[in-house]
Amino acid sequence: EFLLTFAIAPFLLYRFNIQSFYEKQLNQISTFFLRTKNIFSLGFILLILISIPLSSKLKFQTNSELFFPRNSEIREVHDSLKKNYHSFIDLSIYVSIKKDKNNKTGNDSLYYITKKLTQRFEKLERVIHVNSATEQFFFKSKIGIPVNLFGQLKDRNPYYNADKNFYKIQVQFKEAQHIIDLKNHGLKQLLADLPNDIEVSYSSNILLMDAVNASVASSLIKSLS
């Protein structure tokens, strides 16, 4: 952009009629700024002082669909996936036992704690769907006996890692802002009464996007201030 601008600018100046400016008006504007420079300086210093405490109180909202052009094919596919599966807007919760010799929670207890958490997320108003290894999905085997799907997946189970012994709860939402609101205002309360030796962590592309957007926007506004 820099090279292009300076390469083209001289040719554009030939087509620019410098006489169209009135010298009197330019002088008046220049005189005005010279006469009021102290007022402007004090005003900008005041703006800087005000912006220092206010910049830390900035809040941002994240829209996961902002980058998809309207009436484009990718927007149509995204809307279809969102309508049918809500697949882009989810929060992954990981439940495990802390690595400590004094832990009192066993593997069976971890399963029931995960089940209790799954039921809590299912009761939330804005949650569309919840998946976890504690859910029961039965199908009939070749000999006609009902078999739980997750019990047969073993190493391929997407919601339980046998090697590391941790469970995953996938919570799906309709709007990206719902995940951010839950993380900021309700998630700690949901996990507050868990045993001390239980470790819970969470992840979401929406939270990552929100953190990046807030960081970039906040940095730009602070730089401008």
Side-chain angles (χ1 to χ4, degrees):
E1 286 183 6
F2 178 85
L3 293 173
L4 214 65
T5 302
F6 277 83
I8 295 172
F11 299 100
L12 294 177
L13 288 171
Y14 277 116
R15 303 184 64 82
F16 185 72
N17 184 10
I18 196 71
Q19 298 302 323
S20 61
F21 278 111
Y22 291 99
E23 208 172 303
K24 183 180 177 182
Q25 289 178 341
L26 282 173
N27 287 336
Q28 286 176 344
I29 293 169
S30 301
T31 305
F32 170 75
F33 280 118
L34 284 169
R35 191 174 64 249
T36 57
K37 63 181 180 181
N38 290 338
I39 296 171
F40 274 104
S41 297
L42 290 171
F44 283 124
I45 290 169
L46 184 64
L47 181 64
I48 290 168
L49 294 173
I50 292 171
S51 70
I52 290 169
L54 292 181
S55 60
S56 61
K57 297 182 179 181
L58 290 170
K59 292 182 180 179
F60 304 92
Q61 286 194 339
T62 295
N63 183 356
S64 61
E65 302 166 11
L66 192 65
F67 305 103
F68 298 120
R70 289 184 182 179
N71 304 320
S72 64
E73 185 179 353
I74 193 170
R75 164 75 76 162
E76 291 177 9
V77 173
H78 172 80
D79 290 345
S80 177
L81 287 169
K82 178 182 172 183
K83 181 180 178 181
N84 295 309
Y85 302 104
H86 315 286
S87 54
F88 293 106
I89 308 171
D90 60 7
L91 177 69
S92 296
I93 312 291
Y94 303 96
V95 187
S96 61
I97 302 173
K98 292 179 181 177
K99 295 179 180 178
D100 192 340
K101 293 179 180 179
N102 300 320
N103 287 341
K104 297 179 181 179
T105 304
N107 293 345
D108 292 338
S109 299
L110 182 63
Y111 175 88
Y112 288 108
I113 288 168
T114 306
K115 188 172 184 178
K116 183 170 70 173
L117 281 176
T118 302
Q119 291 169 348
R120 285 182 184 178
F121 283 110
E122 286 174 340
K123 292 177 182 177
L124 294 178
E125 185 180 352
R126 293 176 172 181
V127 168
I128 302 297
H129 191 69
V130 180
N131 290 319
S132 88
T134 63
E135 297 293 293
Q136 302 292 316
F137 294 97
F138 286 97
F139 67 96
K140 285 188 177 181
S141 64
K142 290 181 180 179
I143 57 175
I145 300 174
V147 179
N148 181 26
L149 173 64
F150 286 153
Q152 300 299 311
L153 289 175
K154 297 181 181 179
D155 292 342
R156 293 174 294 167
N157 191 331
Y159 301 108
Y160 177 66
N161 187 314
D163 294 334
K164 297 182 179 179
N165 190 31
F166 71 76
Y167 288 87
K168 174 186 173 184
I169 306 171
Q170 188 177 36
V171 189
Q172 294 180 331
F173 295 79
K174 191 174 182 181
E175 301 292 339
Q177 191 60 37
H178 295 168
I179 294 180
I180 299 163
D181 292 341
L182 176 65
K183 179 248 179 183
N184 292 335
H185 305 296
L187 196 56
K188 285 185 178 180
Q189 288 82 343
L190 284 172
L191 310 173
D193 62 341
L194 296 180
N196 293 330
D197 53 355
I198 294 295
E199 185 175 10
V200 178
S201 55
Y202 53 87
S203 173
S204 172
N205 288 335
I206 299 300
L207 295 178
L208 179 64
M209 187 188 299
D210 181 61
V212 170
N213 288 344
S215 176
V216 171
S218 178
S219 176
L220 288 171
I221 290 171
K222 286 176 182 177
S223 299
L224 179 64
S225 298

